[in-house]
Amino acid sequence: MASRGSGKWALVEHRHHSRASRVYRFQILLPNGTSTGLTLKDPGEEMPLHDFLNHIRTELENVPMDGGERRGIDWSGDVYLEDLLDRKIDKKVQFSDFATKNTNILRLQDGEGFVRTFENMWDLTPPTELLQELPAEYSTESALADLVDNSLQALWSNDKKDRKLIRITIDQEKIVIFDTGRGMDGSDENSISKWGTIGSSNHRVFRAKGIGGEAPYLVPFFGMFGYGGTIASMHLGRRAIVSSKTKESRKVFTLHLSREALLEKSSSKLSWKTAGGIRDPSKEELTLSPHQSFTQVEIQGLNRYLGAAKLQRFLKDIYFPYIQYDEDNGSMNTRRLVQFEVNGVDLAEILENEVTITNLHSCAGPDFILDVTFSCTSTTSANSQAHARVKCVYFPIVKGKESIDSILEMLRENASGVKENFDKFSRVSIRRLGRLLPDARWGPLPFMEPKQSKGKKAELLKRCCKRVKCFVGQALIILFYFKSDRTDLAQHDLFTKALRCLDGSSRSDSSVEDVNVDVHRVGRSLSCTQLEKQYHNWINNMHVKYDVEIDGGDNDHTVIINPSNKERLGISEDVEVIRVYTSVSRKGKTWKRGDHLKIQPGVVARMKSNFHSLKSIFYATLEYVVGEGLAGDICGEARLICRSIECSDNQGCLLEEGPDSMRLNIQESVSFPISMIDNDKGLPIEQVIMAGYKNPHEFIAVILPQPATTCSTSLLDKRYILKDDEIEMEMEINHLPGSKDHLRANRIYRKLKKPSSRDSINGLYIFQLSEVSSIFTKSGVYQFIFSVRCKDSSIIKHETEITVRPNSNTRCWQLSSVADCSADNAVVDIRLGIPVRCLAARSHDLYGNGIPFLDVHKAVITILDGDDFLAQVEDIEVELSSDSLTLNIRDFLFKTSKLDIIRPKYEAMLKISLSDNEFSHPCPCKVMPGFPSTINMDMSLAWEKNLTPGEVIDDALLEVFDHCGNHVEEGTELIVRIIGLSFVDKHGPVRKVNSEGFVDLRGLLRVINGFGSQACLKIFRHKKEIFARTFQIAIRNLKAVKVPQSCQAGTLLENIIFEVSDSDGLIDESIHGPLHTLSIRSNELKLVEGAQYAFERGRCIVSHVPVPREPGRVTFVAYHTHFSDLETTIQIPVYTLDLVPVKGENESEPICSYPTSSGSSQNTIPPSQLVLSQSNSLAANIMGKFSDEIREIDAEICSQEVLIKAFDSRKRALENDIVDLQDEISHTAGSASGAKELTRHKIEENVGTAAAVLCSRQWFRDDVVGIVALLGTVADRKMSMMLSVYLGEDNMLAVVCKTLAAANYFEKYDADGSVDVHFGIHQEAANLGVPIRKRFPIICLDAIRPYTGGLHLHTKQKPLALPFPHSKGFKGFAVNMINLSPESLKISTKNGYGLRETLFYRLFGELQVYETRDDMWQAIPHLKNGAVSLDGGIIKGDGLLILGYSDPEVTFPVVPRAALDVEEDDSEYVCTRIKTMHAQMDVVKTLENRIKAAEEQRQKLVMERNEKKRKFDEISEVLSQPSGSGDHQLYQ
């Protein structure tokens, strides 16, 4: 039964039977130009033709046919089959005639005619993985070489007697490649379909023949990848026909390829089937291949036409060893392994290709040949070795011309498209199995480069090494890969890397550590040291025998033995003899002494001090040519000795006769390498003069016949002068400011003259230049063009040029602080502490021509005041402009403490010293002091005892210095902030530095704080604090003396004395006069309102104070009327006199006594007398003793109670004061300044951050706006918390600048990219002792894309006009809920956008604020940039929720909106009140401890009194009994 085919021949499943199944596969070629496959399983020995045809018809019905309409097949007619031997099958099919291993091809005939091409005859479908490996870069040349590779491989399978021919025919329409190789047919093992199937090369079976072998490895089995056929042919053209025949087949099998058909099938399904056919061979084919096997590839519809000549050169280079092989030591004849023809031309006759030209210029000496074996230890593969032959060929310098230059010249003449020069010429050429890899144009291999870098011998070796080219031949190996287009070796291959590291030493690439490299030369193994030594010896030998370094023209030269100035000449120290020539021939040109040279930038010249690379064009005059050694010696490169055209002959190099031999005195001349001529770095120029050259008064021109010789007029032969009065001559003078750029030429003279005569000579054209001002003042090229219009209308022209160089003898300097400044000698302004970003220096001559600088690396800048040295900066890096006319000196700082010498004008002179010993003329400059940095305060009041309230300070003098110790300039404005002081005048806090460098505050400050407090003086510059001093105001104590311990109600307190004493307890007698009075306030006393008592020399006597009539305790406060902090509190117990009746034993009248109970307020201290009974004297004494003890205890208890009440009263007063302070601070902090001060303190606590440094040092520079947390406020604490959490600490502490330039001033970086900790904010942090260890954000307002949707301008805050979401609980947009102070509202970018449109819109966007989380969840569909709720919810962007809880340390200041208009700065006052509050809280804690101790002492006294009272009562009870019993008890 037939199986269905779907693009490949169907496979038959084998089952286990007693007899093996037999499967026959057929390819049926149908008479309508189509084909189909047929597979039969166990059909038997034979089958009737009718049944066989039915199988074919069934297969055709099941397989859809591609294409358009086809003619039908007449199955009812005379239908029969034919095989490839033209045998007819018309009755039975004998299966014994067919093979089961191959596909059998049969042609079906129906009598209606025969076609030669059959659709879908060949299946070219490649494996999927190979389609992914197709070459990405594929050129036309590579594609053609791939096809030739296939032909060359096919030839190598021929017998020795068979012809080996590759013939290529090319024209504009097609290209035909014919080879006489083994050919292809329809069999499975040699099927023509494999030619077009990727990955199915017929040459894979011969691959092993290319492995190993011996040099030069001419075994062309390199087509192992199978990309050649389809890919190459379809890259070259749109259609291809492949025809092939083997010796065994009688027919020619054809395969037809079409790019459109392949692309169409490739895009639909992975099945490439193409048409094919069968035909008889032609007579021409049999003639070209007598052994009757061949392959022909005809490509039509070419995408690009390759010229025949170019193709011939290309193929000759690629397959040179196969075309002609000259390295067979056993034969003296050239071997021709393959006959190559292109359009009938034998490639062996082509001489214009690169390989042939290179061989012609190679040295006749021996080559340096290495045999290298690579082996990989990391694989177990049997083919883990690679072989290569490395042949180094020397290309000498011949008569001063490099052979490589000659090769390049010939290649350019042949239009080979070579763009290389001597330095970039490929030093390595690689052939793989004899085939050139054209893209493998490598630089020298490591062993080819000299390791020495210093010394003259090293320079010689380095130069000679450039004359070597290495030819590498390789064998084919499995592990040696190359690029898919076979134009270069794969760079990732281990052996490729090992080859590129071929130096026998350590390799920088660790991936080739497992590759062993064995190097042999002449059969002996070489170590790395031996390889290097032998290679260098070979180089030196080739140099000695074959290099001709100098062609000295007439060979006349002067020999100098052991010259004394070798270093200046630029020659080696070990050279003992030099040759001095006056001419030299290079590249066919002769250069003579006196020739002018224009030396291009980049040439390394030996100057006076060292070697320097020229940065600009150098015009020179050639003087001598110096060569090392005697003729024939190993010598270094010749040197050209030249002097600048600005130097006279006497300043140049002189050949002098010494006492023993000749000597060369180089003087001001410069030594150049002769190679600059080879590299076109030194070019001849015509006459050169310096600017200011006195031009001639006239020019005289004549017309001579062409054969005549020009000469001066003094020797002019009249016979040669053309005399024709009708011919006019025009002279035109053009000036080219730069090079010979005719588009920029300026015409400065043009005249038309007729011939005249002088000194009996006629026919002279005389042009007077007196009417033209000096023409040779501006540098550049002057063109003199003489033109004559002949009678036949032809024009004869003669042109000559004169180059004018700047006159360095009149050199002047010009400095500017901007690189493009053109002002003449503008004064350069320099300020200490600020880097000079760019100081541009130019030099020009008297006529304004710019004089270029030579190679300059460093500069020294000195500032002078006459002969006095002020400052100097050394080793400054400099750079030259592209035209070398401007010397830019960048980023340098001056430091000096001597500017007071040139105060107040600060005028000085600036001088530049360059590394080439060139000094500038001093130029005027202004050196200004730095900004205020330190302040010295000259005042004797620094002692606290000298500052008293109300005093005017008459000796406050502030001396202001910059960071270098110079007084700052006059007029510098500083802000003086004072606390506890006030200005006597009304000029405010801004004060200016006077002409002496002082801020004079003498007599301008008054002390307004009270005794014992502090006063503070701070100096700011642009918000940065540069000085702070705190003063302690004198401490004074007010106390009362002679105050009674208690007093009787209704009486008077008389003559109470109050004293004011200092900290030492001495009375301050300065408290005297009308300004010093005492006032008393009390709630218990009836005082005269407004009563004041005068102090006299520190004492005040209050004559009387009325005491209330009610008993208890009276408290009053005495205080200084004008300094209320100076006060004292007095508490006095008030008692009433109370009589208690006491009966004696025999008395009936009461006796007066004082009560003994201390429980009430009436328990006062009794008077001294005591009324006792007149009874028993013993009892009286006992009672009196107990009574006295009880009274003493009562007095102590009363004293403790008074003390406790005094402490408690003081405690309550302080607590009230603390509450008042808290309210006051809270109220004050509610203002913008107070709240910001609290936030500022929180920021300063974040030690090690940029924000903390800014706040601590007030390091705010121009265009630095501030910290995010301080630039806005909110009206609600919850709002402050939530917005701060949303932004995060980094954004809250971010620094805000206006421009990127301001941000860049925060820090700069070293050459390795690390942060310079001695610059900017890092230096300020270091001064604080807390370096910044983390990154910090900086926001640049000008770089922010602002909000452009409009503002609500009718309100002061100017909120953004954002669309209202109309959601429940919506409070507003966060960007609009940030309140800005009036000062912040004025901040704007250069485009006029404020903080809200830039900074806060950048931070918040359209963040919405809601009352609760529930409100926020419901509003999610309306959110754009997230939302926050006042109860803690946060949504950031799409789908990002912030959960948990955090209490931010730094929050936005909470300020009522009404307080934003307050302009006063309460920050210092808030700090003072906070300190006072903390001090009072400490006193409260002390009082509480004292109250506790007094309570404990009182409790002890009460217990003791109660015990004594009990005993007293017992005695009293005994005494109260009747007479007798009482005595009895008493005396018991």
Side-chain angles (χ1 to χ4, degrees), residues 863-1060:
I863 295 180
L864 303 170
D865 177 31
D867 295 331
D868 295 333
F869 174 85
L870 295 181
Q872 188 176 75
V873 183
E874 299 180 349
D875 293 333
I876 309 174
E877 296 292 338
V878 300
E879 63 180 26
L880 289 176
S881 61
S882 58
D883 56 5
S884 297
L885 295 178
T886 303
L887 183 72
N888 294 319
I889 310 172
R890 299 185 182 276
D891 297 328
F892 61 91
L893 277 170
F894 279 107
K895 290 185 179 180
T896 180
S897 58
K898 301 179 180 180
L899 291 190
D900 287 345
I901 298 176
I902 57 176
R903 186 182 179 92
K905 293 184 178 180
Y906 299 106
E907 295 176 351
M909 302 300 290
L910 185 145
K911 189 174 183 180
I912 302 176
S913 304
L914 303 180
S915 56
D916 60 355
N917 298 324
E918 185 176 4
F919 292 89
S920 71
H921 298 287
C923 299
C925 68
K926 268 194 172 184
V927 186
M928 310 301 294
F931 295 120
S933 177
T934 58
I935 293 179
N936 292 338
M937 190 168 188
D938 182 16
M939 58 181 294
S940 59
L941 55 84
W943 308 103
E944 59 182 42
K945 62 183 181 181
N946 292 330
L947 273 182
T948 57
E951 179 182 1
V952 175
I953 303 173
D954 57 2
D955 53 359
L957 195 61
L958 305 178
E959 191 173 11
V960 189
F961 298 94
D962 64 7
H963 66 289
C964 294
N966 304 292
H967 288 93
V968 300
E969 60 187 302
E970 181 181 359
T972 301
E973 291 186 349
L974 298 175
I975 299 176
V976 182
R977 299 288 187 189
I978 51 177
I979 300 173
L981 303 170
S982 66
F983 289 110
V984 175
D985 60 8
K986 304 298 182 182
H987 294 165
V990 179
R991 303 288 165 160
K992 293 185 178 181
V993 178
N994 62 18
S995 59
E996 302 298 327
F998 291 85
V999 174
D1000 193 352
L1001 299 178
R1002 291 176 293 186
L1004 298 179
L1005 298 177
R1006 185 191 302 277
V1007 181
I1008 60 175
N1009 273 9
F1011 290 105
S1013 61
Q1014 292 181 333
C1016 183
L1017 175 66
K1018 293 185 177 182
I1019 309 296
F1020 292 83
R1021 181 188 177 272
H1022 295 325
K1023 298 183 180 182
K1024 179 184 179 181
E1025 179 183 306
I1026 59 175
F1027 175 80
R1029 180 72 61 83
T1030 301
F1031 307 100
Q1032 180 69 44
I1033 301 176
I1035 298 175
R1036 295 294 183 266
N1037 297 315
L1038 177 64
K1039 63 181 179 178
V1041 297
K1042 295 183 179 180
V1043 178
Q1045 293 184 353
S1046 63
C1047 62
Q1048 186 178 349
T1051 62
L1052 296 175
L1053 293 175
E1054 297 179 342
N1055 297 325
I1056 305 174
I1057 300 175
F1058 294 92
E1059 294 177 348
V1060 178

Side-chain angles (χ1 to χ4, degrees), residues 341-398:
E341 293 182 2
V342 176
N343 283 8
V345 178
D346 193 336
L347 295 187
E349 302 173 1
I350 300 298
L351 302 178
E352 295 82 9
N353 60 300
E354 180 178 347
V355 175
T356 303
I357 293 173
T358 302
N359 291 341
L360 290 175
H361 287 82
S362 63
C363 182
D367 299 329
F368 187 81
I369 300 176
L370 301 173
D371 292 309
V372 186
T373 301
F374 302 90
S375 60
C376 184
T377 60
S378 61
T379 178
T380 58
S381 173
N383 298 311
S384 59
Q385 287 189 349
H387 304 278
R389 184 185 66 166
V390 178
K391 182 177 73 172
C392 296
V393 179
Y394 195 79
F395 293 85
I397 180 172
V398 180

Side-chain angles (χ1 to χ4, degrees), residues 700-864:
I700 301 176
V702 297
I703 303 176
L704 300 176
Q706 188 170 3
T709 304
T710 59
C711 58
S712 63
T713 55
S714 60
L715 302 176
L716 192 62
D717 194 333
K718 300 178 183 180
R719 295 173 299 172
Y720 297 128
I721 299 177
L722 179 65
K723 307 175 183 64
D724 191 337
D725 294 339
E726 296 182 0
I727 298 179
E728 295 181 327
M729 179 181 293
E730 181 185 67
M731 185 181 77
E732 180 180 339
I733 303 177
N734 296 324
H735 175 234
L736 287 74
S739 60
K740 299 180 180 180
D741 186 357
H742 293 272
L743 297 178
R744 297 178 53 198
N746 300 320
R747 181 185 298 167
I748 60 176
Y749 181 86
R750 184 178 183 181
K751 286 292 183 180
L752 191 65
K753 290 288 185 179
K754 289 188 176 182
S756 60
S757 62
R758 178 179 292 180
D759 297 333
S760 69
I761 300 177
N762 297 321
L764 303 181
Y765 294 87
I766 304 174
F767 296 91
Q768 300 291 335
L769 297 182
S770 57
E771 58 202 73
V772 182
S773 60
S774 181
I775 59 175
F776 298 130
T777 56
K778 296 298 181 182
S779 62
V781 177
Y782 288 81
Q783 292 179 331
F784 293 82
I785 303 173
F786 300 87
S787 59
V788 173
R789 183 179 294 275
C790 301
K791 293 181 179 180
D792 59 357
S793 298
S794 63
I795 297 177
I796 302 174
K797 280 190 176 183
H798 175 75
E799 180 177 337
T800 187
E801 293 180 347
I802 297 178
T803 301
V804 177
R805 297 293 300 153
N807 192 340
S808 59
N809 297 326
T810 61
R811 188 170 208 165
C812 301
W813 285 73
Q814 174 187 337
L815 298 180
S816 63
S817 55
V818 182
D820 59 353
C821 179
S822 59
D824 293 335
N825 288 333
V827 177
V828 177
D829 289 331
I830 299 172
R831 183 175 293 276
L832 300 186
I834 296 182
V836 179
R837 294 305 181 191
C838 180
L839 182 63
R842 297 180 179 87
S843 65
H844 54 82
D845 61 11
L846 182 64
Y847 308 99
N849 301 303
I851 300 177
F853 293 93
L854 297 178
D855 185 41
V856 179
H857 298 287
K858 294 184 182 296
V860 177
I861 300 181
T862 307
I863 295 180
L864 303 170

Side-chain angles (χ1 to χ4, degrees), residues 1263-1265 1296-1303 1338-1346 1387-1395 1397-1399 1402:
D1263 288 342
V1264 177
V1265 179
V1296 182
C1297 302
K1298 282 189 178 180
T1299 62
L1300 287 172
I1338 291 184
I1339 301 176
C1340 301
L1341 299 183
D1342 284 345
I1344 295 176
R1345 181 178 298 174
I1387 298 174
S1388 63
T1389 65
K1390 63 182 179 181
N1391 294 324
Y1393 294 102
L1395 288 179
E1397 303 102 280
T1398 55
L1399 172 64
R1402 165 69 176 79

Side-chain angles (χ1 to χ4, degrees), residues 1257-1308:
R1257 304 288 290 185
Q1258 290 294 308
W1259 198 76
F1260 288 95
R1261 306 210 171 241
D1262 295 339
D1263 288 342
V1264 177
V1265 179
I1267 311 299
V1268 169
L1270 295 174
L1271 292 177
T1273 64
V1274 294
D1276 180 76
R1277 186 182 64 84
K1278 291 183 179 180
M1279 182 71 63
S1280 174
M1281 296 284 290
M1282 294 310 301
L1283 295 185
S1284 302
V1285 172
Y1286 177 84
L1287 290 184
E1289 183 178 284
D1290 284 347
N1291 283 331
M1292 291 293 290
L1293 298 180
V1295 182
V1296 182
C1297 302
K1298 282 189 178 180
T1299 62
L1300 287 172
N1304 290 333
Y1305 196 75
F1306 273 74
E1307 66 181 21
K1308 68 178 182 180

